[in-house]
Amino acid sequence: MKAVILAGGEGCRLRPLTNHCPKPMVPILNKPVMEYSIELLKRHGITDIIMTVHYLSSSIRSHFGDGSKWGVTITYSEDGMPLGTAGSVKLAEQMLTESFLVISGDILTDFDLSAGIQHHEDQLAAATIFTKPLDLPIEYGVLLSADKKMDKMFEKPNWSDLTKHSINTGIYILDPKIFTYLEDFTHYDFSKDVFPAILKHNEKISIFEAEGYWSDIGTLATYREAQFDMLHHKVNLPSKGKEIAKGIWMEDGVTIHDDVTLKGPIYISRNTIIHEGAIVGPQTVLSESAIIHEKSEITHSILWENSYVGKSCSLGGMIGHCQIQDHSALADMNDETVNAWREYTKRDS
């Protein structure tokens, strides 16, 4: 079976992180979030992958290339203009002659894809939607189903619409017949356009109730949360680092000088250097080749690759690339940020 990874979105809700970085490339513990999806597909025997790309596509192409580094084959389908989730897949129609899997490039999940594929084959459906219960589904498409067959869907519904909190996770298995409902070079969305068309033509849409972890890396809050869900063993996905002590994760090639204080949970990536007297953590991720100078303190922050923090600095709540000069104090601990950290800590305590 082939897979299509949707990797063309602009990630507007993650700005400014996505001003110069496509959303599927934002790092989760020093790996682009989409890299986890590629590894998951490989784990389930899916090695022929088509990526639909558009926004800042050159950075995606340069990182993943032909996919051989991950043991897969990647073919790129470039959208000349935004065509929506389904419209972009329509461009790759000639490469999709059998049932195929669609997954968003900006989600983090450890779902059992093989079980979903088997379910799809057993149900003889035109489409299978991976769903998951969620306590607060107001931001997502919600399915109302009976006997595991889709009856109705609300896209970002009102609370009065909800009778069952089962969300559309953006992972589908589709029969190529769905292309007959789509015109070339036209904007289509799976939830708003394709699935209603399938039902209108009395074709079957099956619901696969997946078990495991799923997160849409769509906001700064969910971006933060996913990092620490990984560190707290809530996600069955491999990271580059190892837990060398409780809550202290580290990759190879890290240099830590004397009198450094590490407060977990933290993640320190390779080629990072932490100088004397520095304090790192809690709730902090240092991506590859970060440099933290003497007597600086960093807490509740996610610093991207090649970040630099000078001497005697104090950082709190920072996310992204940082170049901080000596004796600086910076914090982005607004109410939303503080509440997000507090809620996460409360749930994990």
Side-chain angles (χ1 to χ4, degrees):
M1 176 176 285
K2 292 183 179 181
V4 179
I5 301 181
L6 305 177
E10 295 187 18
C12 295
R13 292 181 298 158
L14 267 179
R15 287 177 176 165
L17 298 183
T18 51
N19 283 349
H20 305 288
C21 176
K23 188 177 176 184
M25 294 298 292
V26 297
I28 302 287
L29 302 189
N30 201 35
K31 287 201 300 192
V33 60
M34 187 161 59
E35 191 168 321
Y36 292 100
S37 291
I38 291 173
E39 293 172 341
L40 182 67
L41 291 168
K42 172 73 182 308
R43 185 195 302 182
H44 290 277
I46 301 175
T47 59
D48 196 344
I49 298 171
I50 300 166
M51 282 191 191
T52 65
V53 294
H54 172 67
Y55 178 68
L56 299 177
S57 62
S58 60
S59 64
I60 295 174
R61 291 174 180 267
S62 64
H63 181 84
F64 291 107
D66 62 5
S68 57
K69 179 180 176 181
W70 292 268
V72 300
T73 300
I74 297 176
T75 305
Y76 297 91
S77 177
E78 185 92 31
D79 297 359
M81 57 185 292
L83 293 173
T85 54
S88 63
V89 176
K90 172 71 172 177
L91 290 179
E93 178 180 2
Q94 298 304 314
M95 294 182 279
L96 299 167
T97 57
E98 299 177 348
S99 292
F100 59 95
L101 184 144
V102 173
I103 185 169
S104 297
D106 53 11
I107 64 171
L108 186 70
T109 184
D110 59 12
F111 284 168
D112 186 343
L113 303 180
S114 297
I117 292 169
Q118 186 62 56
H119 171 90
H120 176 79
E121 293 172 350
D122 292 343
Q123 293 294 316
L124 301 176
T128 292
I129 301 174
F130 283 61
T131 68
K132 181 176 176 60
L134 198 67
D135 291 336
L136 297 172
I138 200 69
E139 290 298 317
Y140 306 98
V142 176
L143 305 174
L144 306 183
S145 62
D147 300 325
K148 296 186 178 181
K149 181 178 178 181
M150 190 175 101
D151 298 324
K152 191 174 182 181
M153 180 168 184
F154 297 100
E155 189 68 19
K156 296 187 178 180
N158 296 317
W159 284 113
S160 59
D161 294 326
L162 304 182
T163 60
K164 180 180 179 181
H165 298 174
S166 183
I167 65 164
N168 172 6
T169 66
I171 304 174
Y172 316 122
I173 302 173
L174 304 169
D175 189 282
K177 71 176 66 175
I178 64 107
F179 291 125
T180 62
Y181 309 132
L182 308 179
E183 300 289 337
D184 290 328
F185 306 109
T186 304
H187 189 285
Y188 290 107
D189 180 84
F190 281 114
S191 299
K192 296 177 181 177
D193 303 307
V194 177
F195 297 147
I198 292 174
L199 295 176
K200 183 178 179 180
H201 287 81
N202 296 316
E203 296 279 1
K204 182 178 181 180
I205 297 179
S206 180
I207 300 302
F208 176 68
E209 297 175 352
E211 297 181 357
Y213 184 89
W214 178 89
S215 178
D216 170 20
I217 312 301
T219 65
L220 291 176
T222 56
Y223 177 65
R224 291 186 192 98
E225 183 175 301
Q227 314 265 348
F228 296 99
D229 283 344
M230 292 275 294
L231 298 186
H232 286 288
H233 305 280
K234 296 180 180 180
V235 193
N236 183 25
L237 294 172
S239 72
K240 294 180 178 180
K242 297 179 181 179
E243 191 173 17
I244 62 170
K246 184 175 176 58
I248 309 295
W249 292 75
M250 197 174 296
E251 297 181 10
D252 294 335
V254 172
T255 300
I256 298 180
H257 289 253
D258 295 335
D259 195 30
V260 168
T261 301
L262 304 179
K263 302 178 181 179
I266 59 173
Y267 187 94
I268 305 173
S269 304
R270 72 188 186 104
N271 297 330
T272 288
I273 301 173
I274 305 176
H275 288 273
E276 292 86 349
I279 300 173
V280 179
Q283 309 280 28
T284 297
V285 174
L286 303 181
S287 294
E288 188 168 330
S289 300
I291 298 176
I292 312 301
H293 275 288
E294 292 90 337
K295 297 182 180 180
S296 285
E297 181 173 2
I298 304 170
T299 181
H300 298 86
S301 295
I302 300 169
L303 305 191
W304 285 13
E305 185 177 2
N306 295 316
S307 287
Y308 174 94
V309 179
K311 299 177 183 179
S312 302
C313 293
S314 176
L315 270 67
M318 305 301 292
I319 299 180
H321 291 289
C322 291
Q323 299 292 315
I324 311 300
Q325 299 306 309
D326 296 351
H327 308 290
S328 299
L330 296 172
D332 188 23
M333 300 295 280
N334 55 47
D335 289 343
E336 179 184 358
T337 303
V338 171
N339 289 336
W341 287 123
R342 285 175 176 169
E343 286 302 314
Y344 189 92
T345 304
K346 187 188 302 181
R347 291 202 325 270
D348 202 64
S349 60

